[in-house]
């Protein structure tokens, strides 16, 4: 069985699983946020149970429109807060909060071998830890909060192998953008993506989170990595409960095997208006930008901020550009402060925001006007994603976003170093 | 039997197009319906009538997990969505909340905006009244059939918990 099949089998009453089977799966964590929880709570109440199945296994994170951006958002956040406190579930208030997919791993709420379902499509991020995690809707989450299990169709697994060594300025974001550019936004529809290869073995956890995060941008149900020493080091100090490490069988059956030689891949940029519309950064000339966003559940982690700061140190953001840096969590914010990264950003002329999803979904903290272009380390560049329907979003890694902020147009980090 | 006028769209209609994030600070279906499809079809809300049908090519509903998307479509009066394929989470959400979604490539290829379709959900039969052609959608797997006939996931879950 593949890694995903192993984990799902261990959470169901079946010993052997194969793609296409409908199963009931026990869940280890059920997640929702300030946008999706209000509907989940309403639906939960309709089921007619008074308590969630296990408060320790339910979490709500207000992160999309928080700190509350307007009255309507405040009403939604209030509803979530009241439910969370009443049910005594895991909850992250302003001051402790951050972007859900950054804080769940970092606070040890998700561990290897877990099954996690979340009312947010980027719940697939936790595959970096060797967990099976997938996004669903609010009604699914309502039912899971009541019963502790969900129905699922076992997905076929596509195996991706990344051979060779990564070039300079090339990281997890570039590999996943390259992959989506190759297979398309529905290239892994209904499938799980299992990531292997030398480049993956050598990649740090933050890069793996970025890759797992964007599995959904290829239509994937999950993106997953094997647990190795790097994973175990990451969870060592934060795991407060038992977990199980699963391995795919040597003779596991994959629906497809796709191999890449990463040494030929340069930093990638996904042009408007699809994440699959990728080009090597060197192929973009004279794309003038109005804004650069460095943050989100894709690239708002410490390694990402370090990379951006390394480029921006001693430089100045182009006066035509608004550069917005958003650490993914309070912990990362504090660490970035201690390391002097925040000072670097501010000295360079960037603005640093409290952790929030903010501009990533066109919520607040950096909305685009008609005709504006933005380079962003986020994960989606659909029409209107970051503001006006006539604005444009280009997706890239933090080094490219930082370099472009300095140059004023999209450039390779090489050009500003 | 459903009957309605067709609004046809292309591939990868994403959830930001179905209901932009800027409207997600509320979750009332009627409020969401006011902005349905706004970013790809500004006039949709003005033109749509009770029972109308959305037809699209591949990967309909890709992007976020927001259930607001099928809710907005349902609340706008649309009776069902027919596509060549759906994004996984959208498909699940639609089934869960009781918005019929059908996969049928031939129907999509042989239907234009403004055509009138007749859909029989009991057997997946789709008829285009403009050209007289008939099609059959992919059958739901047994389990999903159960979910649909229970009246959606909440009713299904209620029954499950009662049995325990
Ligand atoms: S940062 Fe963006 S993609 Fe991630 S959870 Fe927030 S809105 Fe979604």
């Amino acid at each position: 069985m593949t890694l995903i099949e192993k984990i799902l089998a261990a959470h169901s009453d079946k010993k052997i699983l194969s793609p296409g089977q409908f199963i009931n799966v026990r869940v280890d964590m059920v997640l929702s946020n300030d946008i999706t929880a209000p509907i989940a709570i309403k639906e939960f109440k309709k089921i007619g149970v008074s308590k969630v199945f296990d408060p320790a296994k339910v979490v709500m994170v207000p992160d999309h429109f928080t700190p509350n951006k307007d009255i309507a958002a405040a009403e939604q956040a209030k509803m979530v807060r009241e439910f969370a406190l009443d049910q005594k579930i895991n909850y992250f208030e302003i001051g402790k909060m951050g972007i859900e997919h950054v804080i769940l791993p970092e606070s040890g709420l998700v561990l290897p071998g877990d099954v996690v379902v979340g009312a947010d499509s980027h719940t697939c991020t936790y595959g970096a830890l060797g967990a099976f995690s997938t996004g669903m809707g609010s009604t699914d989450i309502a039912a899971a909060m009541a019963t502790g299990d969900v129905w699922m169709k076992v997905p076929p697994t596509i195996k991706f192998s990344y051979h060779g060594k990564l070039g300079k300025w090339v990281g997890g974001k570039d590999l996943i953008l390259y992959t989506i550019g190759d297979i398309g936004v529905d290239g892994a529809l209904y499938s799980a993506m299992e990531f292997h290869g030398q480049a993956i073995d050598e990649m740090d956890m933050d890069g793996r989170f970025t890759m797992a995060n964007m599995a959904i941008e290829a239509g994937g149900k999950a993106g997953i990595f094997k647990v190795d020493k790097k994973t175990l080091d990451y969870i060592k100090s934060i795991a407060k409960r038992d977990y199980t490490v699963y391995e795919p069988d040597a003779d596991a059956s994959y629906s497809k095997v796709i191999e890449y030689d990463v040494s030929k891949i340069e930093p990638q940029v996904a042009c408007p208006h699809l994440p699959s519309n990728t080009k090597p950064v060197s192929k973009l000339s004279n794309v003038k930008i109005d804004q650069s966003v460095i943050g989100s559940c894709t690239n708002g982690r410490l390694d990402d901020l370090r990379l951006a700061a390394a480029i921006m140190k001693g430089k100045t953001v182009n006066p035509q550009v608004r550069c917005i840096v958003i650490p993914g969590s309070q912990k990362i914010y504090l660490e970035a402060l201690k390391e002097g990264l925040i000072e670097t950003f501010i000295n360079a002329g960037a603005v640093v925001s409290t952790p929030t999803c903010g501009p990533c979904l066109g919520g607040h903290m950096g909305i685009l006007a008609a005709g504006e272009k933005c380079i962003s380390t986020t994960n989606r560049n659909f029409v209107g994603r970051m503001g006006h329907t006539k604005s444009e979003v280009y997706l890239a890694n933090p080094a490219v976003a930082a370099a472009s902020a300095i140059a004023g147009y999209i450039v390779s980090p090489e050009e500003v170093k | 039997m459903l009957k309605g006028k067709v609004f046809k769209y292309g591939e990868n209609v994403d959830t930001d197009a179905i209901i932009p994030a800027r409207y997600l600070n509320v979750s009332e279906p009627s409020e969401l319906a006011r902005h349905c499809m706004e970013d790809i079809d500004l006039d949709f809300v003005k033109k749509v009538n009770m029972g109308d049908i959305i037809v699209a090519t591949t990967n309909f509903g890709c992007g976020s997990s927001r259930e607001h998307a099928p809710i907005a479509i349902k609340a706008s009066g649309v009776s069902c969505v027919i596509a060549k394929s759906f994004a996984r989470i959208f498909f699940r959400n639609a089934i869960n909340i009781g918005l019929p979604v059908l996969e049928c490539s031939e129907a999509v290829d042989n239907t234009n905006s403004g055509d009138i379709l007749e859909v029989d959900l009991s057997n997946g039969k789709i008829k285009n009244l403009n050209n007289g052609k008939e099609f059959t959608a992919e059958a739901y797997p047994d389990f999903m059939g159960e979910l649909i006939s229970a009246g959606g996931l909440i009713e299904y879950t209620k029954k499950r918990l009662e049995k325990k």
Side-chain angles (χ1 to χ4, degrees):
Chain A
M1 289 192 285
T2 67
L3 188 42
I4 292 283
E5 287 159 10
K6 283 270 184 79
I7 297 174
L8 291 179
H11 286 75
S12 74
D13 53 7
K14 305 265 188 320
K15 287 221 161 46
I16 304 282
L17 288 180
S18 48
Q21 253 175 296
F22 281 85
I23 51 169
N24 248 354
V25 182
R26 288 184 298 280
V27 295
D28 300 295
M29 193 56 70
V30 184
L31 162 75
S32 52
N33 60 47
D34 54 320
I35 286 181
T36 57
I39 297 181
I41 293 167
K42 277 186 218 156
E43 296 303 314
F44 176 83
K45 290 183 174 154
K46 286 187 200 158
I47 297 173
V49 291
S50 59
K51 291 278 169 214
V52 300
F53 80 105
D54 181 349
K57 293 182 178 171
V58 179
V59 55
M60 289 184 180
V61 185
D63 57 357
H64 281 62
F65 292 156
T66 54
N68 300 337
K69 75 157 182 146
D70 56 23
I71 296 170
E75 296 291 345
Q76 295 211 116
K78 183 170 174 230
M79 179 177 175
V80 177
R81 178 181 312 110
E82 286 173 355
F83 181 84
L85 296 181
D86 176 53
Q87 294 280 334
K88 300 194 173 52
I89 60 172
N90 300 287
Y91 174 68
F92 294 85
E93 191 47 272
I94 301 290
K96 292 211 165 46
M97 57 82 82
I99 301 169
E100 50 196 322
H101 310 308
V102 178
I103 50 178
L104 256 60
E106 131 192 318
S107 54
L109 286 178
V110 178
L111 294 172
D114 281 358
V115 168
V116 185
V117 294
D120 190 278
S121 60
H122 293 102
T123 303
C124 52
T125 309
Y126 321 128
L129 291 171
F132 173 86
S133 58
T134 192
M136 296 184 169
S138 299
T139 298
D140 272 312
I141 287 323
M145 289 197 296
T147 62
D149 61 13
V150 290
W151 67 268
M152 218 175 269
K153 189 170 158 188
V154 179
T157 303
I158 307 174
K159 181 176 181 174
F160 292 85
S161 286
Y162 299 87
H163 304 294
K165 277 201 169 305
L166 290 177
K168 202 174 179 198
W169 311 118
V170 179
K173 181 62 162 285
D174 305 292
L175 293 194
I176 195 69
L177 285 178
Y178 185 87
T179 305
I180 298 164
D182 181 42
I183 65 174
V185 287
D186 57 358
L189 195 60
Y190 291 96
S191 300
M193 305 166 82
E194 213 180 88
F195 301 114
H196 292 263
Q198 181 193 352
I200 301 297
D201 295 339
E202 291 172 2
M203 187 180 289
D204 285 331
M205 287 309 295
D206 284 3
R208 296 182 192 177
F209 281 119
T210 304
M211 288 187 71
N213 175 271
M214 289 191 72
I216 179 71
E217 263 60 67
K221 184 165 187 161
I224 197 164
F225 294 77
K226 286 199 298 181
V227 172
D228 64 5
K229 185 169 177 306
K230 286 185 178 154
T231 329
L232 296 175
D233 284 346
Y234 179 90
I235 59 164
K236 198 164 53 194
S237 58
I238 51 177
K240 290 177 215 78
R241 59 180 166 86
D242 291 342
Y243 57 87
T244 314
V245 173
Y246 298 93
E247 286 275 332
D249 291 327
D251 64 349
S253 135
Y254 296 95
S255 61
K256 236 188 253 171
V257 177
I258 298 177
E259 317 215 16
Y260 299 112
D261 173 1
V262 305
S263 63
K264 297 197 178 73
I265 297 177
E266 62 167 290
Q268 301 288 305
V269 178
C271 300
H273 289 286
L274 276 183
S276 56
N277 196 9
T278 53
K279 291 194 177 110
V281 65
S282 61
K283 290 266 153 38
L284 290 162
S285 59
N286 275 322
V287 182
K288 214 172 140 291
I289 54 161
D290 303 281
Q291 180 166 298
S292 170
V293 171
I294 299 165
S296 85
C297 60
T298 316
N299 283 116
R301 296 186 180 76
L302 200 54
D303 279 356
D304 302 316
L305 300 189
R306 283 179 182 143
L307 192 56
I311 302 270
M312 288 169 75
K313 190 150 185 96
K315 303 239 168 32
T316 311
V317 170
N318 185 291
Q320 311 284 332
V321 177
R322 312 179 297 268
C323 181
I324 303 168
V325 181
I326 311 180
S329 71
Q330 289 284 75
K331 195 169 158 191
I332 291 166
Y333 199 168
L334 200 56
E335 201 53 48
L337 207 58
K338 284 187 199 151
E339 289 186 17
L341 310 180
I342 302 295
E343 208 178 318
T344 300
F345 294 133
I346 294 176
N347 282 338
V351 69
V352 182
S353 155
T354 197
T356 179
C357 292
C360 171
L361 79 161
H364 59 152
M365 296 298 299
I367 306 301
L368 301 174
E372 289 192 324
K373 290 184 170 53
C374 175
I375 185 132
S376 177
T377 68
T378 52
N379 48 41
R380 289 194 175 131
N381 55 354
F382 301 147
V383 171
R385 174 73 181 180
M386 221 178 243
H388 199 282
T389 48
K390 293 209 168 65
S391 61
E392 293 185 343
V393 179
Y394 292 76
L395 307 174
N397 76 31
V400 173
S404 306
I406 288 160
Y409 53 95
I410 298 177
V411 291
S412 159
E414 267 327 299
E415 292 187 38
V416 300
K417 273 314 272 184
Chain B
M1 183 81 86
L2 308 175
K3 185 174 167 185
K5 185 173 76 228
V6 168
F7 288 81
K8 189 168 177 185
Y9 302 101
E11 57 184 12
N12 302 320
V13 173
D14 61 79
T15 50
D16 280 278
I18 299 170
I19 181 78
R22 57 185 179 277
Y23 302 121
L24 299 185
N25 53 1
V26 297
S27 55
E28 285 74 35
S30 57
E31 271 298 307
L32 296 171
R34 289 177 47 204
H35 303 290
C36 190
M37 308 305 275
E38 185 173 295
D39 284 0
I40 55 164
D41 186 356
L42 244 183
D43 294 332
F44 175 82
V45 173
K46 281 185 236 142
K47 292 183 301 196
V48 69
N49 289 308
M50 216 52 194
D52 284 352
I53 292 171
I54 288 180
V55 172
T57 62
T58 52
N59 205 23
F60 186 86
C62 64
S64 96
S65 69
R66 63 188 69 153
E67 206 161 288
H68 312 67
I71 291 175
I73 291 176
K74 193 177 173 196
S76 73
V78 166
S79 62
C80 78
V81 184
I82 301 168
K84 292 191 179 186
S85 66
F86 290 89
R88 182 188 66 82
I89 306 177
F90 181 91
F91 188 82
R92 229 184 133 103
N93 286 345
I95 298 285
N96 285 344
I97 68 157
L99 169 70
V101 279
L102 300 170
E103 278 185 0
C104 185
S105 291
E106 298 74 46
V108 175
D109 285 336
N110 289 284
T111 298
N112 296 312
S113 266
D115 286 0
I116 305 293
L117 291 186
E118 243 177 32
V119 180
D120 186 346
L121 290 177
S122 68
N123 56 15
K125 292 261 188 278
I126 301 167
K127 185 170 181 190
N128 186 326
L129 299 187
N130 289 64
N131 57 24
K133 291 185 182 162
E134 288 187 15
F135 320 95
T136 308
E138 296 277 327
Y140 294 116
D142 290 349
F143 171 75
M144 278 194 181
E146 250 177 75
L147 205 64
I148 295 165
S149 52
L153 183 66
I154 294 300
E155 292 304 315
Y156 176 85
T157 305
K158 265 193 198 168
K159 288 195 189 113
R160 253 187 85 198
L161 290 174
E162 276 162 19
K163 269 190 221 148
K164 273 193 182 167

